């Protein structure tokens, strides 16, 4: 085994020992039950770890990650994860979390060919095309930033329209969806104001979230 991989095992032992020192029943509690209140759909980017960003321990957030945090009705992996989180774990909050400087979003914005992932990024190009006027009206240096924000809002709409979420809301289950964006520059999350817990105000909240993106000053850091 290479020395770098051996380091990972050593770090693992140190981490496990620290967890036991802080809470002796930590691992036995994990085995007994998984009962997170949150689901995080985020980007695969290694710089955006859900637990560390939110300060949550293992077992407290259910996570699905893919390139550029996309949710589409043909992705059975993502939809199955959502279904398990909503129907089995009964999570209360589901967050779609993008991040500024996302390579997938940037590639989609600029039509940069990256290989097989081009097919996946077509979904973000659809977001780009849907909001072409807003993006065109944005200073060029901030267009990736804006598309990152728009993408999280649109992906929350996609989540809201899944049969899983529609059925949950239909039976009165408590489930709130959120669109957030994480900034690598300062480690803070930004709320995109796309927060919905039913069909009743879905369209109104969606329009207000888009208006907020359009109205945001772009001469300041995100």
């Amino acid at each position: 085994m290479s020395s770098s991989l051996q380091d990972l095992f050593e770090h693992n032992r140190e981490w496990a020992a620290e967890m036991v020192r802080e809470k002796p029943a930590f691992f036995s509690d994990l085995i007994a039950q998984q009962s997170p209140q949150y689901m995080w759909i985020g980007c695969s980017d290694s710089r955006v770890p859900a637990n560390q960003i939110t300060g949550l321990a293992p077992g407290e957030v259910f996570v699905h990650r893919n390139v550029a945090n996309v949710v589409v009705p043909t992705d059975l992996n993502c939809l199955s994860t959502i279904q398990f989180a909503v129907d089995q774990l009964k999570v209360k909050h589901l967050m779609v979390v993008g991040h500024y400087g996302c390579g997938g979003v940037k590639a989609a914005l600029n039509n940069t060919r990256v290989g097989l992932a081009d097919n996946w990024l077509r979904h973000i190009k659809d977001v780009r095309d849907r909001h072409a006027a807003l993006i065109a009206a944005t200073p060029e240096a901030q267009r990736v930033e804006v598309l990152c924000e728009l993408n999280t809002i649109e992906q929350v709409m996609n989540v809201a329209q899944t049969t899983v979420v529609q059925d949950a809301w239909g039976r009165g289950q408590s489930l709130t969806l959120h669109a957030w964006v994480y900034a690598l520059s300062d480690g803070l999350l930004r709320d995109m104001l796309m927060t919905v817990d039913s069909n009743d105000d879905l369209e109104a909240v969606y329009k207000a979230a888009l208006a907020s993106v359009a109205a945001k000053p772009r001469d300041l850091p995100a």
Side-chain angles (χ1 to χ4, degrees), residues 2-198:
S2 70
S3 59
S4 60
L5 292 181
Q6 189 59 50
D7 287 344
L8 298 184
F9 279 94
E10 182 60 33
H11 295 325
N12 169 246
R13 286 190 291 269
E14 292 172 356
W15 171 78
E18 182 180 356
M19 293 299 101
V20 172
R21 283 195 300 271
E22 293 179 356
K23 185 180 179 183
F26 180 81
F27 291 108
S28 58
D29 288 347
L30 280 183
I31 293 172
Q33 185 176 14
Q34 177 181 213
S35 56
Q37 296 295 300
Y38 312 102
M39 180 177 181
W40 171 293
I41 299 177
C43 183
S44 298
D45 192 301
S46 61
R47 300 168 295 176
V48 191
N51 288 77
Q52 288 92 328
I53 288 171
T54 54
L56 296 173
E60 293 183 332
V61 58
F62 198 64
V63 178
H64 176 82
R65 297 170 73 175
N66 61 49
V67 175
N69 44 274
V70 172
V71 178
V72 292
T74 54
D75 182 2
L76 296 183
N77 183 4
C78 182
L79 296 187
S80 297
T81 308
I82 293 173
Q83 187 271 330
F84 188 83
V86 173
D87 292 354
Q88 302 299 319
L89 299 178
K90 308 295 185 185
V91 297
K92 301 295 185 184
H93 298 274
L94 189 158
M95 301 85 75
V96 177
V97 187
H99 67 97
Y100 294 122
C102 179
V105 171
K106 184 176 181 180
L109 177 67
N110 298 325
N111 281 316
T112 303
R113 291 292 303 274
V114 296
L116 183 61
D118 294 332
N119 301 281
W120 181 254
L121 297 179
R122 177 67 253 176
H123 301 297
I124 304 177
K125 291 180 181 179
D126 290 342
V127 175
R128 176 201 65 188
D129 296 345
R130 187 175 304 125
H131 301 286
L134 171 55
I135 293 171
T138 301
E140 187 172 357
Q142 281 80 48
R143 288 178 184 172
V144 174
E145 172 185 306
V146 167
L147 186 52
C148 287
E149 296 175 355
L150 294 171
N151 186 49
T152 60
I153 293 169
E154 292 290 349
Q155 302 314 320
V156 166
M157 281 294 284
N158 290 345
V159 174
Q161 293 163 349
T162 62
T163 55
V164 173
V165 172
Q166 287 294 307
D167 290 346
W169 284 345
R171 61 180 175 260
Q173 184 172 333
S174 176
L175 176 64
T176 305
L177 311 181
H178 311 265
W180 296 348
V181 179
Y182 174 70
L184 296 169
S185 59
D186 60 14
L188 298 179
L189 292 161
R190 272 68 166 174
D191 186 353
M192 294 296 106
L193 306 180
M194 180 66 185
T195 301
V196 291
D197 59 8
S198 72

